[in-house]
Amino acid sequence: MIRLEKIYKRFGKLEVLRGIDLNIDKGEVVVIIGPSGAGKSTLLRCINLLERPTSGRVIFEGVDITKMDGRDIDKVRERIGMVFQHINLFNHLDVMDNVILAPMKVKGLSKGEAEQIARALLERMGLGDKLYAYPSQLSGGQRQRVAIARALAMQPDIMLFDEPTSALDPEMIKEVLDVMKALVNDGMTMAIVTHEMGFAKEVASRIIFMDDGCIVEEGTPKEIFSNPKEERTAMFLSKILY
Amino acid sequence: MTVELTIISVGLGVIIGIFGGIARVSRNPLLLIPSTIYVEVIRGTPLLAQLFLVYFGLPSLGINLPPFTAAVIAMGINSGAYVTEIFRGGIQSIEKGQMEAARSLGLSYLQAMRYIILPQAFKRILPPLGNEFIAMLKDSSLASTIAIAELMRVGREITSRTFRSFEVLTVVALLYLAITLPLSLIVRYAERRMSVSD
């Protein structure tokens, strides 16, 4: 579904990504792990071109999207949902309006149609009683679940999660991970950057270990966690697993 | 007349300011450079000079404007520069994540501006916008110099008939205050109304 070819990304003198090749197939759950500053988030943001790669190609369903102009990229972004570490709900809109805005303005759905989709999604997220609350009235976990619903309302083909639980209080992490697990069970294609290793082990069809702008190693959770081939992977895991 | 002149001028200023503000945060030099020049030139020259230029200067180019139109144009363009800077600040104060989230959903840059960034920015800039309105209301007294019968002008006409300058000018000042005070209250009320989502 998505193929990254030789992605380089430079911010000024800093080379954040140094030749990433990555393939994500339909139905796969790819979890990207690695130390801070490894380039994990930047890599994810290159997939929907929130970050423009300095060089290399991003191929979505056989089409090189790095060559596209603005309007076509918007079209591609409709089909790639994204959930952010800092959640980024639209603060001036209530929960319902957060979710229905893009289906209405981008896809041209009527308010009624959009609300029907939104209500179903939000109820599934356990937010049926918060439809008209403002983001400031919700807990972090609730906000992140709204953000997931907002992305899903566009009925994307793939979902990108950029450290979705890193900014949450510990007791709210599980409710977000549970929602993500339900998505995995539905067969959603997902790329997830996370530090939740237990979760990664459970849901990943493939784990990517990144360090210093490169993919160091990839494999099944079993291969990576029980039997890492690379020393850097082993070192990273020994530091974070206890 | 004073109120009418101010409302139309600031209205024009806000329209200029929205587009100016967007241009000032643009990365496109065709928008960024002209808008920057506009702001710097207008802010760096006195309103009185701009007013005279439009009213007394343009006729030498063959453009004759009635006093009221000239005043609205000069004050609107002047106000537009300040409102542009107010909008720029407001837009830049909105976290980057808001734009990114909007773009990630497939909204275009302009849609994201319109539905996500500007409404939130507008809420934040309401206090400085209120300031600008009050400042413009007082500056509209300058229009008396080009034969518009606004408050100041009327005051001076009465003075020249009665020679009671202290009393008349005090009343004129109080009348300005009588307009600006309710205005402050309206702005404060609007701020409270718009803070429901905070």
Side-chain angles (χ1 to χ4, degrees):
Chain A
M1 174 178 283
I2 283 176
R3 200 165 76 241
L4 304 178
E5 289 178 355
K6 299 199 181 61
I7 299 289
Y8 285 80
K9 177 68 188 178
R10 213 174 287 125
F11 291 110
K13 276 196 175 148
L14 188 67
E15 204 156 48
V16 183
L17 296 176
R18 302 187 296 149
I20 301 282
D21 289 296
L22 175 67
N23 208 17
I24 302 174
D25 289 329
K26 196 169 166 48
E28 255 195 314
V29 177
V30 174
V31 176
I32 304 164
I33 63 171
S36 309
K40 310 181 295 289
S41 292
T42 308
L43 174 64
L44 210 59
R45 293 158 59 83
C46 279
I47 295 178
N48 63 357
L49 298 186
L50 278 187
E51 248 22 290
R52 285 268 188 173
T54 310
S55 68
R57 308 203 299 164
V58 180
I59 314 231
F60 179 74
E61 312 246 286
V63 184
D64 182 358
I65 62 172
T66 42
K67 289 209 172 61
M68 287 182 170
D69 59 10
R71 195 162 298 223
D72 292 330
I73 290 172
D74 293 340
K75 281 270 167 223
V76 172
R77 288 203 183 111
E78 283 179 42
R79 301 170 58 191
I80 306 180
M82 186 160 197
V83 174
F84 299 84
Q85 178 180 356
H86 297 295
I87 307 175
N88 298 335
L89 284 186
F90 305 136
N91 300 315
H92 62 306
L93 300 177
D94 66 18
V95 166
M96 181 55 98
D97 285 338
N98 261 278
V99 179
I100 65 174
L101 180 89
M104 286 172 63
K105 301 301 176 196
V106 177
K107 279 189 158 175
L109 295 191
S110 73
K111 193 162 189 206
E113 292 169 312
E115 280 186 343
Q116 205 178 342
I117 294 172
R119 190 163 285 137
L121 277 169
L122 289 164
E123 257 155 36
R124 243 193 94 189
M125 305 275 156
L127 293 163
D129 56 339
K130 300 284 182 196
L131 297 184
Y132 302 104
Y134 281 96
S136 58
Q137 297 162 329
L138 301 177
S139 72
Q142 290 170 330
R143 284 209 292 270
Q144 194 59 295
R145 282 182 284 151
V146 174
I148 294 172
R150 179 178 68 178
L152 288 173
M154 290 300 284
Q155 299 171 315
D157 299 323
I158 175 171
M159 286 283 286
L160 312 176
F161 290 86
D162 186 6
E163 300 200 31
T165 58
S166 296
L168 299 181
D169 288 339
E171 72 267 29
M172 295 173 180
I173 291 176
K174 190 171 173 298
E175 63 189 58
V176 171
L177 295 182
D178 282 344
V179 165
M180 291 170 65
K181 269 184 216 167
L183 275 182
V184 173
N185 290 334
D186 291 348
M188 175 62 81
T189 311
M190 294 159 78
I192 306 168
V193 172
T194 186
H195 293 295
E196 298 294 328
M197 292 304 148
F199 173 75
K201 221 183 260 189
E202 195 181 331
V203 304
S205 40
R206 191 151 45 105
I207 302 241
I208 312 275
F209 173 68
M210 278 182 75
D211 192 10
D212 205 16
C214 299
I215 293 178
V216 177
E217 182 170 359
E218 57 181 293
T220 64
K222 214 172 149 198
E223 286 166 349
I224 298 283
F225 285 109
S226 323
N227 195 13
K229 286 200 243 3
E230 298 289 333
E231 201 179 325
R232 266 197 286 176
T233 318
M235 252 182 48
F236 173 72
L237 291 172
S238 74
K239 277 186 199 152
I240 58 160
L241 296 176
Y242 41 81
Chain B
M1 195 63 120
T2 291
V3 174
E4 203 182 329
L5 184 62
T6 308
I7 289 177
I8 299 176
S9 302
V10 175
L12 182 62
V14 168
I15 293 168
I16 296 175
I18 291 175
F19 292 102
I22 291 173
R24 287 276 284 145
V25 297
S26 163
R27 262 177 294 176
N28 183 343
L30 288 178
L31 295 173
L32 179 62
I33 295 171
S35 58
T36 307
I37 293 173
Y38 163 63
V39 167
E40 294 304 334
V41 168
I42 298 295
R43 278 200 312 187
T45 52
L47 174 57
L48 190 60
Q50 294 160 12
L51 200 60
F52 281 4
L53 192 71
V54 173
Y55 187 63
F56 299 116
L58 286 185
S60 65
L61 300 175
I63 306 171
N64 281 295
L65 296 170
F68 188 80
T69 313
V72 163
I73 290 175
M75 286 170 59
I77 289 177
N78 180 278
S79 180
Y82 289 94
V83 179
T84 290
E85 281 306 272
I86 294 173
F87 266 97
R88 180 187 60 79
I91 291 169
Q92 285 175 337
S93 78
I94 305 298
E95 308 73 51
K96 235 177 90 208
Q98 295 284 314
M99 177 57 93
E100 289 184 346
R103 298 309 301 279
S104 79
L105 290 163
L107 270 74
S108 69
Y109 180 82
L110 287 179
Q111 280 181 318
M113 268 291 168
R114 173 163 167 211
Y115 298 113
I116 306 302
I117 308 298
L118 286 177
Q120 295 185 64
F122 194 74
K123 210 164 84 181
R124 282 190 201 174
I125 65 175
L126 217 52
L129 218 49
N131 268 344
E132 168 61 18
F133 205 95
I134 289 168
M136 208 19 98
L137 194 117
K138 293 182 295 172
D139 285 347
S140 71
S141 58
L142 291 174
S144 64
T145 55
I146 60 169
I148 294 181
E150 50 70 70
L151 200 48
M152 193 68 202
R153 176 93 178 184
V154 174
R156 281 209 302 222
E157 274 163 11
I158 297 173
T159 310
S160 63
R161 256 185 283 130
T162 60
F163 301 104
R164 306 182 70 131
S165 41
F166 183 78
E167 291 89 335
V168 174
L169 289 176
T170 304
V171 169
V172 167
L174 285 176
L175 282 174
Y176 276 108
L177 196 61
I179 308 172
T180 55
L181 274 183
L183 206 62
S184 301
L185 291 176
I186 292 170
V187 171
R188 214 168 304 161
Y189 173 75
E191 276 171 49
R192 228 176 315 134
R193 274 287 306 274
M194 290 183 87
S195 64
V196 283
S197 62
D198 289 343

